[in-house]
């Protein structure tokens, strides 16, 4: 294995990780009263506890795209990253069907190891930094300086 592909330490065994936004808008029952935010987080945490270490869940403060709340970022496992998987941002993750799709995809391996459900792909959003870069003209064939 070359030094560029060697994975060391804890990163070698990193599980698929769900980063759940719980900032100013995501998870806010006053802004999204029809969603049981705590139930969603409890379901995600229970799935992680039952996964035998193949899935992790963590919460974070505001991720940025508040108009697309609730936002969940699915980070690939170490094996998924080696398979080409990259963090996938999911917006409007408020109902049980979306939570089921996220958990099913993560259980199947997540980014880089399994194809996401087509219904979940409809909720993929661009990370805030990528959206700003595209708005400035980068990423559209324009040469970087």
């Amino acid at each position: 294995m070359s030094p560029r592909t060697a994975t060391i330490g804890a990163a070698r065994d990193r599980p698929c990780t769900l980063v759940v936004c719980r900032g100013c808008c995501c998870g806010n029952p006053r802004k999204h009263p029809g969603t049981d935010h705590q139930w969603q987080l409890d379901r995600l945490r229970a799935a992680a506890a039952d996964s035998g270490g193949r899935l992790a869940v963590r919460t974070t403060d505001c991720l940025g795209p508040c108009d697309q709340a609730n936002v969940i970022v699915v980070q690939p496992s170490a094996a998924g990253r080696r398979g080409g998987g990259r963090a996938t941002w999911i917006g409007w993750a408020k109902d049980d069907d979306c939570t089921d799709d996220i958990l099913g995809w993560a259980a199947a391996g997540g980014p880089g190891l399994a194809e996401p459900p087509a219904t979940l792909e409809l909720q993929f959003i661009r990370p805030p930094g990528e959206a700003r870069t595209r708005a400035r003209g980068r990423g559209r064939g324009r040469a970087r300086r």
Side-chain angles (χ1 to χ4, degrees), residues 138 142-145:
R138 293 184 185 202
R142 193 172 148 193
R144 293 184 180 202
R145 296 179 185 188

Side-chain angles (χ1 to χ4, degrees), residues 35-126:
T35 301
D36 190 341
H37 303 282
Q38 189 58 50
W39 169 244
Q40 179 187 50
L41 191 54
D42 290 346
R43 283 190 63 209
L44 297 172
R45 288 180 172 156
D50 292 342
S51 74
R54 293 183 324 275
L55 176 63
V57 174
R58 64 184 181 95
T59 59
T60 189
D61 200 9
C62 186
L63 288 170
C66 296
D67 59 331
Q68 297 164 333
N70 288 345
V71 176
I72 297 176
V73 180
V74 182
Q75 296 178 326
S77 64
R81 184 147 317 258
R82 286 189 300 273
R86 296 293 175 254
T88 303
W89 288 56
I90 300 167
W92 308 285
K94 295 182 202 162
D95 63 23
D96 286 339
D97 290 337
C98 180
T99 303
D100 290 342
D101 285 346
I102 292 169
L103 288 173
W105 184 34
L113 297 177
E115 291 296 318
T119 53
L120 191 59
E121 285 183 325
L122 295 172
Q123 293 179 246
F124 286 6
I125 60 174
R126 284 195 178 119

